[in-house]
Amino acid sequence: MKNVLLAGAHGVLGRAVAEHFASLPDWALTTVARRGALTGLEGHTPPRHLSVDLLDARASKERLAEARSTTHLVFTAYLERPTMAETVAPNVTMLANTLDALAAAKAPIEHVVLAGGGKSYGEHLGPYKTPAKESDPRLLGPIFYNDQEDLLADRAKKYGFEWTVLRPDAVIGLSLQSPMNLLMGIAVYASMCKDAGVPLRFPGKPGAWTALHQVTSADLFAQAAEWATTTKAAADQIFNVTNGDYFRWQHLWPDIAGFFDMPYAAPQPMSLVEQMRDKEPQWNRLVEKHGLRPTPWSEVVAWGFTDAVLGTDYDMVQSTIKIRQAGFNGCEDTHASFLRHLGRLRREKYIP
């Protein structure tokens, strides 16, 4: 029996990883997060959970002593901060405290999987070299992914485990209270438009409407995480993980409108941060009318993140040839992926 510890279980990646490993008969799953245990895992009972603030080194060592049987770690924990520079310290600290606590507990760690991202290629800065490859040289920071990767390689030498960094991009899946949940942003925006009786207009920049984009289904990332932990070719390597099916919003938008059974109209650039400032009463009415999960408006969507993704007016393309050559052949039709995840959001009463 292999024992996997999942850090960051409540995020859009973490939830998918939890559901995937919970479905595997030869794995025992333990989750760790500041918040309580996961609920509503599709078809599975909640796994064992350890509540701890990973920013606290002492608390981490005390609590993770209970995870001393851990053989594998999947680290998807993330803390948002106002600037890139401010994200470095907390996110590096959480990873360091987790690895050091497991070492102090003498856990027999064999492999660590770390979630990275497209910011490693500078996609948040402006147009970048595409298709981006794992062999591309680093950019000048601050980019906390770089600091985490350096820490991971250092601890691997010190403690004697193998590691893999998986770099998804624009993840879509089921999660609330996640700062990077594109799917929920689009879904809530569409729900508001339909309720107001207006067509669904693409709110991003004109160039974003026609640029080439990519997403990573959270389920696909979870499959890649399992593959990485059990594949020698993944040891001490960095891999891009996307659906491998690039798209343009101008082609996907009609499908999204169709899911909500509403018309769409010509794009209209707008800031969702500004447009949604007065929408809390409307959302509360929708929650009551449709019996949705009672989530506070402030925690439903990070509108700034949604604006950033929909406003990217240049190609965003990461090559997945390296991971395919190493043996992982997972891929997903992006149009179908959006509709499948939207269907689950509705089925589980996150959206009307």
Side-chain angles (χ1 to χ4, degrees), residues 229-251:
T229 62
T230 57
T231 304
K232 191 63 180 176
D236 304 339
Q237 296 293 321
I238 299 173
F239 297 107
N240 294 327
V241 182
T242 71
N243 282 10
D245 176 34
Y246 308 110
F247 72 96
R248 304 182 198 276
W249 289 112
Q250 64 177 334
H251 301 143

Side-chain angles (χ1 to χ4, degrees), residues 252-272:
L252 178 60
W253 209 248
D255 288 354
I256 295 174
F259 175 86
F260 288 95
D261 192 24
M262 62 186 297
Y264 63 95
Q268 176 58 62
M270 67 182 83
S271 164
L272 293 180

